[in-house]
Amino acid sequence: MEIRKAKIEELDEIMEIFEHARQFMAKNGNASQWGTTYPEQEIVEADIKKEECYVCVENGEIEATFVFFMGKVEPNYVDIYDGEWKMKTPYGTIHRVASRGRVPGISKICMDFCKSQISNLRGDTYKDNIVMQKVFDQNWNLKNAVRFILLGKKEDGNARIAYQFVGK
């Protein structure tokens, strides 16, 4: 599996992956997190231009995408309503993990890539996104790591669960 930064000419294919992910989320009890349009094409295009959008390529096909960045403050993580971050900065942030659903374990591959880049990593998901909560729990609950959950609300008023991986 190759993980690399996305290219602007891959935008349509990445948007197809997000459409598949939105349908999957809706079928699995989480229709509100991304609704029917998030992330909009303008957001994904900006992620690509900022070189924060990554793709997972298997046999020449893009199978998944995610956003990953390091070294800047994620505004959504400034105010936590229940708990506190174990390690402040610097940290990496992972967002918008989406796949075509054809490669088992692809979320773990994305998580492992991000953990290999920085030992302080943050992510979050809606309280209704049980699938992504399991991904975080399975991939961040390691023998030599700290995984904990912070309950909070984002600007849209929806409760989120925030996760932090702190490696060695």
Side-chain angles (χ1 to χ4, degrees):
M1 175 78 55
E2 174 192 10
I3 296 180
R4 61 168 172 75
K5 292 181 180 180
K7 301 172 187 170
I8 198 69
E9 58 267 20
E10 297 167 328
L11 181 60
D12 289 341
E13 194 171 356
I14 293 168
M15 295 307 297
E16 289 173 12
I17 293 170
F18 281 119
E19 177 59 28
H20 178 271
R22 286 190 295 270
Q23 291 176 14
F24 176 84
M25 291 165 74
K27 289 176 187 172
N28 286 278
N30 186 30
S32 64
Q33 184 171 349
W34 285 0
T36 59
T37 60
Y38 185 84
E40 290 78 7
Q41 184 167 320
E42 296 78 21
I43 292 172
V44 178
E45 187 173 346
D47 290 339
I48 293 170
K49 288 179 179 176
K50 290 185 290 188
E51 298 188 342
E52 296 175 349
C53 181
Y54 288 78
V55 292
C56 301
V57 181
E58 182 81 3
N59 298 321
E61 296 282 330
I62 298 176
E63 294 294 339
T65 185
F66 61 96
V67 168
F68 174 64
F69 55 86
M70 298 182 292
K72 67 181 188 179
V73 172
E74 165 53 68
N76 290 322
Y77 298 160
V78 173
D79 296 319
I80 297 295
Y81 297 91
D82 184 11
E84 63 183 44
W85 298 112
K86 296 292 185 191
M87 184 176 176
K88 302 296 182 195
T89 56
Y91 62 88
T93 302
I94 186 168
H95 282 308
R96 295 193 276 285
V97 178
S99 84
R100 292 189 189 276
R102 301 187 301 206
V103 176
I106 202 154
S107 295
K108 179 179 181 353
I109 293 167
C110 297
M111 297 288 177
D112 287 349
F113 172 83
C114 295
K115 290 188 296 187
S116 75
Q117 305 299 306
I118 192 165
S119 63
N120 183 7
L121 187 61
R122 298 178 184 182
D124 72 273
T125 193
Y126 270 43
K127 65 177 176 53
D128 293 335
N129 195 339
I130 303 303
V131 172
M132 195 63 191
Q133 289 174 42
K134 287 180 181 177
V135 168
F136 280 122
D137 287 340
Q138 291 170 356
N139 291 292
W140 290 16
N141 192 11
L142 305 174
K143 183 177 180 182
N144 295 321
V146 175
R147 193 250 334 138
F148 64 98
I149 301 171
L150 305 169
L151 301 177
K153 292 186 179 181
K154 299 297 181 184
E155 65 281 352
D156 60 10
N158 286 301
R160 302 270 184 115
I161 301 172
Y163 294 79
Q164 183 177 30
F165 169 84
V166 180
K168 296 181 196 182

Short mmCIF file of all heavy atoms in Angstrom, two decimals, residues 50-102:
data_model
loop_
_atom_site.label_atom_id
_atom_site.label_comp_id
_atom_site.label_asym_id
_atom_site.label_seq_id
_atom_site.Cartn_x
_atom_site.Cartn_y
_atom_site.Cartn_z
N LYS A 50 -3.05 22.60 0.12
CA LYS A 50 -2.24 22.78 1.33
C LYS A 50 -1.32 21.59 1.57
O LYS A 50 -0.57 21.58 2.54
CB LYS A 50 -3.14 22.99 2.55
CG LYS A 50 -3.86 24.31 2.57
CD LYS A 50 -4.64 24.50 3.86
CE LYS A 50 -5.82 23.57 3.92
NZ LYS A 50 -6.74 23.82 5.05
N GLU A 51 -1.43 20.57 0.71
CA GLU A 51 -0.67 19.32 0.83
C GLU A 51 -0.96 18.60 2.14
O GLU A 51 -0.09 18.00 2.76
CB GLU A 51 0.82 19.57 0.65
CG GLU A 51 1.16 20.13 -0.73
CD GLU A 51 2.65 20.21 -1.00
OE1 GLU A 51 3.45 20.17 -0.05
OE2 GLU A 51 3.00 20.31 -2.18
N GLU A 52 -2.23 18.60 2.54
CA GLU A 52 -2.68 17.93 3.75
C GLU A 52 -3.59 16.74 3.44
O GLU A 52 -3.95 16.00 4.34
CB GLU A 52 -3.40 18.91 4.67
CG GLU A 52 -2.49 20.01 5.18
CD GLU A 52 -3.20 21.06 6.00
OE1 GLU A 52 -4.46 21.08 6.04
OE2 GLU A 52 -2.51 21.88 6.62
N CYS A 53 -3.97 16.58 2.19
CA CYS A 53 -4.82 15.47 1.78
C CYS A 53 -3.92 14.34 1.27
O CYS A 53 -3.06 14.56 0.41
CB CYS A 53 -5.78 15.92 0.69
SG CYS A 53 -6.92 14.62 0.13
N TYR A 54 -4.14 13.15 1.82
CA TYR A 54 -3.36 11.98 1.45
C TYR A 54 -4.27 10.94 0.81
O TYR A 54 -5.48 10.91 1.07
CB TYR A 54 -2.69 11.37 2.68
CG TYR A 54 -1.55 12.20 3.21
CD1 TYR A 54 -1.78 13.34 3.97
CD2 TYR A 54 -0.23 11.85 2.94
CE1 TYR A 54 -0.73 14.12 4.44
CE2 TYR A 54 0.83 12.62 3.42
CZ TYR A 54 0.56 13.75 4.16
OH TYR A 54 1.60 14.51 4.63
N VAL A 55 -3.69 10.09 0.01
CA VAL A 55 -4.41 8.96 -0.57
C VAL A 55 -3.65 7.68 -0.30
O VAL A 55 -2.42 7.68 -0.18
CB VAL A 55 -4.64 9.14 -2.09
CG1 VAL A 55 -5.62 10.29 -2.36
CG2 VAL A 55 -3.35 9.35 -2.85
N CYS A 56 -4.41 6.60 -0.21
CA CYS A 56 -3.86 5.25 -0.08
C CYS A 56 -4.09 4.56 -1.42
O CYS A 56 -5.24 4.44 -1.86
CB CYS A 56 -4.56 4.48 1.02
SG CYS A 56 -4.45 5.26 2.63
N VAL A 57 -3.01 4.13 -2.05
CA VAL A 57 -3.09 3.54 -3.39
C VAL A 57 -2.68 2.08 -3.33
O VAL A 57 -1.63 1.74 -2.78
CB VAL A 57 -2.17 4.31 -4.37
CG1 VAL A 57 -2.27 3.73 -5.76
CG2 VAL A 57 -2.52 5.80 -4.37
N GLU A 58 -3.54 1.22 -3.88
CA GLU A 58 -3.29 -0.21 -3.96
C GLU A 58 -3.52 -0.65 -5.40
O GLU A 58 -4.59 -0.40 -5.95
CB GLU A 58 -4.22 -0.97 -3.00
CG GLU A 58 -4.02 -2.44 -2.96
CD GLU A 58 -2.86 -2.87 -2.09
OE1 GLU A 58 -2.21 -2.02 -1.46
OE2 GLU A 58 -2.58 -4.07 -2.05
N ASN A 59 -2.52 -1.27 -6.00
CA ASN A 59 -2.62 -1.74 -7.39
C ASN A 59 -3.07 -0.63 -8.33
O ASN A 59 -3.91 -0.85 -9.20
CB ASN A 59 -3.56 -2.94 -7.48
CG ASN A 59 -3.06 -4.12 -6.67
OD1 ASN A 59 -1.86 -4.39 -6.63
ND2 ASN A 59 -3.97 -4.81 -6.02
N GLY A 60 -2.54 0.56 -8.13
CA GLY A 60 -2.85 1.68 -9.00
C GLY A 60 -4.18 2.36 -8.76
O GLY A 60 -4.53 3.30 -9.46
N GLU A 61 -4.95 1.90 -7.77
CA GLU A 61 -6.27 2.45 -7.47
C GLU A 61 -6.24 3.19 -6.14
O GLU A 61 -5.70 2.68 -5.15
CB GLU A 61 -7.30 1.32 -7.37
CG GLU A 61 -7.52 0.57 -8.65
CD GLU A 61 -8.40 1.32 -9.63
OE1 GLU A 61 -9.27 2.10 -9.19
OE2 GLU A 61 -8.19 1.14 -10.85
N ILE A 62 -6.85 4.36 -6.09
CA ILE A 62 -7.01 5.07 -4.83
C ILE A 62 -8.11 4.37 -4.05
O ILE A 62 -9.25 4.29 -4.50
CB ILE A 62 -7.33 6.56 -5.04
CG1 ILE A 62 -6.19 7.25 -5.78
CG2 ILE A 62 -7.61 7.23 -3.69
CD1 ILE A 62 -6.47 8.70 -6.12
N GLU A 63 -7.76 3.86 -2.88
CA GLU A 63 -8.70 3.12 -2.06
C GLU A 63 -9.20 3.92 -0.87
O GLU A 63 -10.27 3.63 -0.32
CB GLU A 63 -8.07 1.81 -1.57
CG GLU A 63 -7.76 0.82 -2.67
CD GLU A 63 -9.01 0.29 -3.36
OE1 GLU A 63 -10.11 0.35 -2.78
OE2 GLU A 63 -8.87 -0.21 -4.51
N ALA A 64 -8.44 4.91 -0.44
CA ALA A 64 -8.83 5.70 0.73
C ALA A 64 -8.18 7.07 0.67
O ALA A 64 -7.23 7.29 -0.09
CB ALA A 64 -8.44 4.99 2.02
N THR A 65 -8.70 7.95 1.50
CA THR A 65 -8.15 9.29 1.62
C THR A 65 -8.29 9.75 3.06
O THR A 65 -9.15 9.25 3.80
CB THR A 65 -8.86 10.28 0.65
OG1 THR A 65 -8.23 11.55 0.72
CG2 THR A 65 -10.34 10.42 0.98
N PHE A 66 -7.44 10.66 3.46
CA PHE A 66 -7.53 11.25 4.79
C PHE A 66 -6.75 12.56 4.79
O PHE A 66 -5.93 12.81 3.92
CB PHE A 66 -7.00 10.31 5.88
CG PHE A 66 -5.56 9.91 5.75
CD1 PHE A 66 -4.57 10.59 6.44
CD2 PHE A 66 -5.19 8.85 4.93
CE1 PHE A 66 -3.23 10.22 6.32
CE2 PHE A 66 -3.86 8.47 4.80
CZ PHE A 66 -2.88 9.16 5.49
N VAL A 67 -7.04 13.38 5.77
CA VAL A 67 -6.32 14.64 5.96
C VAL A 67 -5.40 14.45 7.15
O VAL A 67 -5.80 13.91 8.19
CB VAL A 67 -7.30 15.81 6.19
CG1 VAL A 67 -6.57 17.05 6.67
CG2 VAL A 67 -8.08 16.10 4.92
N PHE A 68 -4.18 14.90 6.99
CA PHE A 68 -3.19 14.82 8.06
C PHE A 68 -2.29 16.04 8.00
O PHE A 68 -1.80 16.40 6.93
CB PHE A 68 -2.36 13.54 7.91
CG PHE A 68 -1.22 13.43 8.88
CD1 PHE A 68 -1.44 13.33 10.25
CD2 PHE A 68 0.09 13.46 8.43
CE1 PHE A 68 -0.39 13.24 11.15
CE2 PHE A 68 1.15 13.36 9.32
CZ PHE A 68 0.91 13.24 10.68
N PHE A 69 -2.12 16.68 9.15
CA PHE A 69 -1.19 17.80 9.21
C PHE A 69 -0.53 17.85 10.59
O PHE A 69 -1.06 17.32 11.56
CB PHE A 69 -1.85 19.13 8.86
CG PHE A 69 -3.07 19.48 9.69
CD1 PHE A 69 -2.95 20.12 10.91
CD2 PHE A 69 -4.34 19.16 9.23
CE1 PHE A 69 -4.05 20.44 11.66
CE2 PHE A 69 -5.46 19.48 9.97
CZ PHE A 69 -5.31 20.12 11.19
N MET A 70 0.63 18.49 10.61
CA MET A 70 1.41 18.62 11.85
C MET A 70 1.84 20.07 12.01
O MET A 70 1.92 20.82 11.04
CB MET A 70 2.66 17.75 11.78
CG MET A 70 2.42 16.28 11.65
SD MET A 70 3.94 15.29 11.63
CE MET A 70 4.67 15.77 10.07
N GLY A 71 2.10 20.43 13.26
CA GLY A 71 2.75 21.70 13.53
C GLY A 71 1.85 22.92 13.51
O GLY A 71 2.35 24.04 13.51
N LYS A 72 0.54 22.72 13.50
CA LYS A 72 -0.34 23.88 13.61
C LYS A 72 -1.50 23.54 14.52
O LYS A 72 -1.87 22.37 14.68
CB LYS A 72 -0.81 24.35 12.24
CG LYS A 72 -1.71 23.43 11.50
CD LYS A 72 -2.09 24.03 10.15
CE LYS A 72 -3.15 23.21 9.48
NZ LYS A 72 -3.56 23.77 8.21
N VAL A 73 -2.05 24.55 15.12
CA VAL A 73 -3.16 24.36 16.06
C VAL A 73 -4.43 24.03 15.28
O VAL A 73 -4.76 24.70 14.30
CB VAL A 73 -3.37 25.64 16.91
CG1 VAL A 73 -4.62 25.53 17.75
CG2 VAL A 73 -2.15 25.89 17.77
N GLU A 74 -5.11 22.99 15.72
CA GLU A 74 -6.42 22.65 15.17
C GLU A 74 -7.44 23.43 15.99
O GLU A 74 -7.61 23.16 17.19
CB GLU A 74 -6.65 21.14 15.27
CG GLU A 74 -8.08 20.70 15.06
CD GLU A 74 -8.70 21.20 13.78
OE1 GLU A 74 -8.28 20.77 12.69
OE2 GLU A 74 -9.63 22.03 13.86
N PRO A 75 -8.12 24.42 15.38
CA PRO A 75 -9.06 25.25 16.15
C PRO A 75 -10.14 24.46 16.88
O PRO A 75 -10.57 24.85 17.97
CB PRO A 75 -9.69 26.14 15.07
CG PRO A 75 -8.71 26.16 13.96
CD PRO A 75 -8.03 24.83 13.98
N ASN A 76 -10.57 23.32 16.32
CA ASN A 76 -11.60 22.52 16.97
C ASN A 76 -11.12 21.88 18.27
O ASN A 76 -11.94 21.39 19.04
CB ASN A 76 -12.09 21.42 16.03
CG ASN A 76 -12.89 21.97 14.88
OD1 ASN A 76 -13.67 22.91 15.05
ND2 ASN A 76 -12.71 21.39 13.71
N TYR A 77 -9.82 21.87 18.51
CA TYR A 77 -9.29 21.21 19.69
C TYR A 77 -8.85 22.19 20.79
O TYR A 77 -8.25 21.79 21.77
CB TYR A 77 -8.11 20.30 19.33
CG TYR A 77 -8.48 19.18 18.38
CD1 TYR A 77 -7.52 18.53 17.65
CD2 TYR A 77 -9.79 18.76 18.24
CE1 TYR A 77 -7.84 17.50 16.78
CE2 TYR A 77 -10.14 17.74 17.38
CZ TYR A 77 -9.15 17.10 16.65
OH TYR A 77 -9.47 16.09 15.80
N VAL A 78 -9.17 23.45 20.62
CA VAL A 78 -8.76 24.45 21.61
C VAL A 78 -9.60 24.33 22.88
O VAL A 78 -9.07 24.33 23.99
CB VAL A 78 -8.83 25.87 21.01
CG1 VAL A 78 -8.59 26.92 22.09
CG2 VAL A 78 -7.83 26.02 19.88
N ASP A 79 -10.91 24.23 22.73
CA ASP A 79 -11.81 24.15 23.88
C ASP A 79 -12.32 22.72 24.07
O ASP A 79 -13.05 22.21 23.23
CB ASP A 79 -13.00 25.09 23.69
CG ASP A 79 -12.59 26.54 23.65
OD1 ASP A 79 -11.72 26.93 24.45
OD2 ASP A 79 -13.14 27.29 22.81
N ILE A 80 -11.91 22.11 25.14
CA ILE A 80 -12.36 20.76 25.49
C ILE A 80 -13.24 20.90 26.73
O ILE A 80 -12.88 21.59 27.69
CB ILE A 80 -11.15 19.83 25.78
CG1 ILE A 80 -10.30 19.66 24.53
CG2 ILE A 80 -11.62 18.50 26.32
CD1 ILE A 80 -10.97 18.95 23.39
N TYR A 81 -14.39 20.27 26.71
CA TYR A 81 -15.37 20.47 27.76
C TYR A 81 -15.30 19.46 28.89
O TYR A 81 -15.84 19.70 29.94
CB TYR A 81 -16.78 20.48 27.15
CG TYR A 81 -16.95 21.62 26.20
CD1 TYR A 81 -16.68 21.47 24.84
CD2 TYR A 81 -17.33 22.88 26.65
CE1 TYR A 81 -16.81 22.53 23.97
CE2 TYR A 81 -17.46 23.94 25.79
CZ TYR A 81 -17.20 23.76 24.44
OH TYR A 81 -17.31 24.81 23.58
N ASP A 82 -14.66 18.35 28.68
CA ASP A 82 -14.57 17.34 29.73
C ASP A 82 -13.26 16.60 29.56
O ASP A 82 -13.14 15.70 28.75
CB ASP A 82 -15.75 16.37 29.63
CG ASP A 82 -15.77 15.36 30.75
OD1 ASP A 82 -15.00 15.52 31.72
OD2 ASP A 82 -16.54 14.39 30.66
N GLY A 83 -12.26 17.01 30.32
CA GLY A 83 -10.95 16.39 30.23
C GLY A 83 -9.91 17.39 29.74
O GLY A 83 -10.18 18.58 29.63
N GLU A 84 -8.73 16.88 29.48
CA GLU A 84 -7.65 17.74 28.97
C GLU A 84 -6.68 16.89 28.17
O GLU A 84 -6.59 15.68 28.34
CB GLU A 84 -6.93 18.45 30.10
CG GLU A 84 -6.22 17.52 31.06
CD GLU A 84 -5.57 18.26 32.21
OE1 GLU A 84 -6.20 19.16 32.79
OE2 GLU A 84 -4.42 17.90 32.54
N TRP A 85 -5.98 17.56 27.26
CA TRP A 85 -4.98 16.85 26.47
C TRP A 85 -3.82 16.44 27.37
O TRP A 85 -3.39 17.21 28.23
CB TRP A 85 -4.46 17.75 25.34
CG TRP A 85 -5.51 18.17 24.38
CD1 TRP A 85 -6.00 19.43 24.20
CD2 TRP A 85 -6.22 17.33 23.44
NE1 TRP A 85 -6.97 19.42 23.22
CE2 TRP A 85 -7.12 18.15 22.73
CE3 TRP A 85 -6.18 15.98 23.15
CZ2 TRP A 85 -7.97 17.66 21.75
CZ3 TRP A 85 -7.04 15.48 22.17
CH2 TRP A 85 -7.90 16.32 21.48
N LYS A 86 -3.32 15.23 27.19
CA LYS A 86 -2.21 14.72 28.00
C LYS A 86 -0.90 15.38 27.63
O LYS A 86 -0.03 15.56 28.46
CB LYS A 86 -2.08 13.20 27.83
CG LYS A 86 -3.26 12.43 28.34
CD LYS A 86 -3.36 12.53 29.84
CE LYS A 86 -4.48 11.66 30.35
NZ LYS A 86 -4.78 11.91 31.75
N MET A 87 -0.74 15.69 26.38
CA MET A 87 0.48 16.34 25.88
C MET A 87 0.02 17.47 24.97
O MET A 87 -0.83 17.27 24.12
CB MET A 87 1.32 15.31 25.11
CG MET A 87 2.64 15.80 24.63
SD MET A 87 3.50 14.39 23.85
CE MET A 87 4.95 15.21 23.28
N LYS A 88 0.57 18.65 25.17
CA LYS A 88 0.06 19.81 24.44
C LYS A 88 0.55 19.86 22.99
O LYS A 88 -0.17 19.55 22.08
CB LYS A 88 0.40 21.11 25.17
CG LYS A 88 -0.14 21.16 26.59
CD LYS A 88 -1.65 21.14 26.62
CE LYS A 88 -2.15 21.24 28.06
NZ LYS A 88 -3.49 20.89 28.25
N THR A 89 1.74 20.31 22.77
CA THR A 89 2.24 20.46 21.39
C THR A 89 3.68 19.99 21.35
O THR A 89 4.33 19.90 22.38
CB THR A 89 2.18 21.93 20.92
OG1 THR A 89 2.90 22.73 21.85
CG2 THR A 89 0.75 22.42 20.79
N PRO A 90 4.22 19.74 20.20
CA PRO A 90 3.55 19.73 18.90
C PRO A 90 2.72 18.46 18.73
O PRO A 90 2.97 17.46 19.39
CB PRO A 90 4.69 19.76 17.90
CG PRO A 90 5.83 19.10 18.61
CD PRO A 90 5.65 19.44 20.08
N TYR A 91 1.73 18.53 17.87
CA TYR A 91 0.90 17.36 17.61
C TYR A 91 0.49 17.33 16.14
O TYR A 91 0.52 18.33 15.44
CB TYR A 91 -0.34 17.33 18.52
CG TYR A 91 -1.30 18.49 18.35
CD1 TYR A 91 -2.33 18.43 17.41
CD2 TYR A 91 -1.20 19.62 19.14
CE1 TYR A 91 -3.22 19.48 17.26
CE2 TYR A 91 -2.08 20.67 19.00
CZ TYR A 91 -3.10 20.60 18.06
OH TYR A 91 -3.97 21.64 17.91
N GLY A 92 0.12 16.14 15.72
CA GLY A 92 -0.45 15.94 14.39
C GLY A 92 -1.94 15.75 14.53
O GLY A 92 -2.44 15.35 15.58
N THR A 93 -2.65 16.04 13.46
CA THR A 93 -4.10 15.91 13.45
C THR A 93 -4.52 15.07 12.25
O THR A 93 -4.03 15.28 11.15
CB THR A 93 -4.77 17.30 13.35
OG1 THR A 93 -4.35 18.11 14.45
CG2 THR A 93 -6.28 17.18 13.37
N ILE A 94 -5.41 14.12 12.50
CA ILE A 94 -5.98 13.32 11.42
C ILE A 94 -7.47 13.61 11.33
O ILE A 94 -8.15 13.67 12.35
CB ILE A 94 -5.69 11.81 11.61
CG1 ILE A 94 -6.16 11.03 10.39
CG2 ILE A 94 -6.27 11.29 12.90
CD1 ILE A 94 -5.68 9.59 10.35
N HIS A 95 -7.94 13.85 10.12
CA HIS A 95 -9.35 14.15 9.87
C HIS A 95 -9.82 13.44 8.61
O HIS A 95 -9.01 13.02 7.77
CB HIS A 95 -9.57 15.65 9.63
CG HIS A 95 -9.57 16.50 10.84
ND1 HIS A 95 -10.35 16.26 11.94
CD2 HIS A 95 -8.88 17.64 11.12
CE1 HIS A 95 -10.13 17.21 12.85
NE2 HIS A 95 -9.25 18.04 12.38
N ARG A 96 -11.11 13.37 8.44
CA ARG A 96 -11.78 12.96 7.20
C ARG A 96 -11.24 11.67 6.60
O ARG A 96 -10.91 11.61 5.42
CB ARG A 96 -11.74 14.10 6.19
CG ARG A 96 -12.52 15.32 6.63
CD ARG A 96 -12.73 16.31 5.52
NE ARG A 96 -11.66 17.24 5.30
CZ ARG A 96 -11.36 18.29 6.05
NH1 ARG A 96 -12.06 18.53 7.15
NH2 ARG A 96 -10.39 19.11 5.74
N VAL A 97 -11.17 10.63 7.41
CA VAL A 97 -10.75 9.32 6.92
C VAL A 97 -11.93 8.71 6.15
O VAL A 97 -13.04 8.61 6.68
CB VAL A 97 -10.34 8.39 8.08
CG1 VAL A 97 -9.94 7.02 7.56
CG2 VAL A 97 -9.22 9.02 8.90
N ALA A 98 -11.69 8.33 4.92
CA ALA A 98 -12.75 7.76 4.08
C ALA A 98 -12.15 6.72 3.15
O ALA A 98 -11.02 6.89 2.67
CB ALA A 98 -13.44 8.86 3.27
N SER A 99 -12.93 5.67 2.88
CA SER A 99 -12.43 4.65 1.97
C SER A 99 -13.54 4.16 1.05
O SER A 99 -14.72 4.42 1.29
CB SER A 99 -11.83 3.47 2.74
OG SER A 99 -12.82 2.56 3.13
N ARG A 100 -13.13 3.41 0.05
CA ARG A 100 -14.09 2.78 -0.86
C ARG A 100 -14.73 1.54 -0.22
O ARG A 100 -15.71 1.02 -0.72
CB ARG A 100 -13.40 2.35 -2.14
CG ARG A 100 -12.93 3.48 -3.00
CD ARG A 100 -12.45 2.94 -4.35
NE ARG A 100 -11.80 3.96 -5.11
CZ ARG A 100 -12.42 4.85 -5.88
NH1 ARG A 100 -13.73 4.84 -5.96
NH2 ARG A 100 -11.74 5.74 -6.56
N GLY A 101 -14.13 1.04 0.85
CA GLY A 101 -14.66 -0.14 1.52
C GLY A 101 -14.22 -1.45 0.90
O GLY A 101 -14.78 -2.49 1.21
N ARG A 102 -13.18 -1.40 0.09
CA ARG A 102 -12.74 -2.62 -0.60
C ARG A 102 -11.52 -3.26 0.03
O ARG A 102 -11.22 -4.42 -0.26
CB ARG A 102 -12.43 -2.31 -2.07
CG ARG A 102 -13.60 -1.74 -2.83
CD ARG A 102 -13.33 -1.58 -4.31
NE ARG A 102 -12.21 -0.71 -4.64
CZ ARG A 102 -12.10 -0.05 -5.78
NH1 ARG A 102 -13.03 -0.16 -6.71
NH2 ARG A 102 -11.04 0.70 -6.01
#
